Amino acid sequence: MAPGGNRGWLLRLVIAFSFAQGAVSMARPAVSYRALALGADERAIGVIAGVYALLPLFVAVPLGRRTDHGRCAPLLPAGVVLISGGCALSGIADSLWTMAVWSGVMGLGHLCFVIGAQSIVARQSASHEQDRNFGHFTIGASLGQLVGPIAAGALIGGRDMAGTSALALLVAGAGGAVALTSLWRIESRTTAKSRKEQAGRVPVRRILGARGVPAGIFISLAVLSATDILTAYLPVVGEHRGIAPSVIGLLLSLRAAATIACRLVLTPLLRILGRTLLLTVTCLLAALLCAGIALPVPVWALAVMLAVLGFCLGVGQPLSMTTVVQAAPEGARSTALALRLTGNRLGQVAAPASAGLIAGLAGVAAPFVMLGALLLVSAGTALRAPGGPTREVGRRRGMAAILRRKSGI
């Protein structure tokens, strides 16, 4: 399967990612509600949310190294099993520390799946297709983020918060396992064999020194931290403002739906604005909207803010993937993507812990002000990121078409 060939593998990957991400997106708010039912305060919620990213922090780069010189596909079913197991075991845990442990297992499974899947997309996409294919790939994540919170909100509620949140976690585990049914013929064995034959290992310092890699990592960290804290802390905000769990689930899903809409129109947006300007503008708007969530606005205004915020956050992840892949040295793209995911997980450890501390000191809305500041810095970072080949590819294709017409080909 040559880069740019049949894209049936991408559709199957999107379907699998939808179920895997749906399980995680359903489990994250369910974990928060179950922890609250077991007596957790805002700081404990932050610690549990941070543990989700702690274990993956140490294994991302070794997994990336392995993937650079071998097959990606085995990581996908392994990731699904860990996600489903972590969800289900969180549902039967009866203490905060065991919930934290199984939350870490869930995070490890998500990391395995994402490293394998992103590496497949980078490897099997032609250079000019990477923005589009990464955008389509992340639609799978957005679909999961759309359905997961709605399902969690539908199941969680009533007087028995501990019981209903446990049921939601068990359902999330079962739903995640469905992803296994789509994991067939995703990776080309020919491509995997050619990668295995490559020798040499690019030092991490050289990868991080490539222009565009640090910018892509930081933008991804900021955008994912915003998504993660929204998922973990909007239920806490809802509890303090008297918003029902079902409404919070709908609000989170509205944010995800707006992200899907963004990724469906990503290609024309890139043609109009280019990668650098699009990243800068959307990060700046997201910063303002995140800070706005801290205001005591009515539910309808919160819904509008989350919809626009979801559209803006939809740009960062796929374009940061392309930025990192195209800036990384040849033969180290999976490692570069793993470093990007390491940055993500570092943000997922530090941001919830910081959010928990800030929430404990200044109130539950304060973490959203912190997110606004982080996204504001990422907007400045985006200005320094390489603009990418999108416009250049378009110009080259136009010139080639003119030459073909003139030559009669």
Side-chain angles (χ1 to χ4, degrees):
M1 186 189 300
N6 186 299
R7 291 198 299 151
W9 60 270
L10 182 58
L11 176 59
R12 291 190 292 276
L13 190 59
V14 169
I15 292 170
F17 196 18
S18 299
F19 282 101
Q21 184 65 54
V24 172
S25 298
M26 186 176 179
R28 300 302 299 282
V31 164
S32 295
Y33 280 118
R34 181 159 172 78
L36 288 169
L38 293 176
D41 57 13
E42 289 86 354
R43 296 180 188 181
I45 296 291
V47 171
I48 292 173
V51 172
Y52 169 85
L54 188 61
L55 184 57
L57 195 62
F58 300 103
V59 300
V61 172
L63 283 175
R65 292 286 195 198
R66 174 204 170 279
T67 307
D68 267 323
H69 302 286
R71 297 186 62 211
C72 311
L75 287 176
L76 304 183
V80 170
V81 169
L82 290 171
I83 288 170
S84 296
C87 291
L89 291 168
S90 293
I92 62 175
D94 57 1
S95 66
L96 295 178
W97 74 266
T98 52
M99 286 191 69
V101 169
W102 296 125
S103 181
V105 170
M106 190 196 316
L108 179 60
H110 191 260
L111 178 82
C112 289
F113 188 97
V114 172
I115 285 182
Q118 288 183 6
S119 298
I120 288 173
V121 176
R123 190 174 296 179
Q124 297 183 174
S125 303
S127 179
H128 66 274
E129 296 177 331
Q130 285 177 345
D131 279 323
R132 181 195 66 192
N133 286 359
F134 275 124
H136 289 173
F137 165 70
T138 52
I139 286 174
S142 300
L143 286 170
Q145 290 166 355
L146 172 66
V147 175
I150 290 178
L155 291 174
I156 300 170
R159 296 181 179 178
D160 186 14
M161 187 71 74
T164 55
S165 57
L167 175 62
L169 286 164
L170 293 172
V171 171
V178 178
L180 294 170
T181 62
S182 294
L183 297 178
W184 51 275
R185 295 182 63 187
I186 285 180
E187 184 178 23
S188 166
R189 292 186 177 273
T190 303
T191 306
K193 183 178 179 182
S194 67
R195 301 293 299 186
K196 192 176 290 188
E197 291 169 354
Q198 292 181 1
R201 174 177 290 191
V202 181
V204 170
R205 184 177 299 178
R206 182 184 163 197
I207 299 171
L208 292 174
R211 183 173 178 267
V213 171
I217 290 173
F218 185 80
I219 292 166
S220 180
L221 180 155
V223 170
L224 187 67
S225 294
T227 304
D228 207 52
I229 290 179
L230 273 172
T231 303
Y233 270 84
L234 204 59
V236 183
V237 171
E239 284 288 297
H240 280 257
R241 296 184 186 176
I243 303 172
S246 58
V247 176
I248 292 295
L250 287 172
L251 289 173
L252 288 171
S253 296
L254 177 64
R255 196 254 346 138
T259 298
I260 294 173
C262 167
R263 287 165 182 171
L264 289 172
V265 299
L266 190 58
T267 301
L269 286 175
L270 282 165
R271 290 198 192 105
I272 296 168
L273 298 176
R275 189 185 302 153
T276 299
L277 183 58
L278 186 58
L279 276 170
T280 303
V281 170
T282 53
C283 286
L284 181 59
L285 284 174
L288 297 175
L289 290 164
C290 271
I293 293 174
L295 301 175
V297 296
V299 173
W300 68 264
L302 188 60
V304 172
M305 292 167 66
L306 285 169
V308 181
L309 178 60
F311 192 92
C312 293
L313 293 177
V315 170
Q317 292 291 49
L319 295 196
S320 68
M321 292 177 201
T322 309
T323 299
V324 168
V325 164
Q326 294 185 353
E330 186 66 30
R333 289 178 171 178
S334 293
T335 305
L337 286 169
L339 286 168
R340 174 184 167 278
L341 289 170
T342 301
N344 287 354
R345 294 303 186 262
L346 183 62
Q348 286 181 302
V349 171
S354 302
L357 178 62
I358 292 171
L361 295 174
V364 295
F368 296 101
V369 178
M370 179 194 75
L371 282 181
L374 185 64
L375 286 164
L376 189 62
V377 175
S378 73
T381 304
L383 283 173
R384 302 172 59 87
T390 305
R391 290 183 173 178
E392 181 63 26
V393 167
R395 285 193 290 269
R396 289 178 183 174
R397 287 179 174 175
M399 289 298 296
I402 292 170
L403 290 172
R404 283 197 298 271
R405 285 197 295 270
K406 287 183 176 181
S407 61
I409 297 176

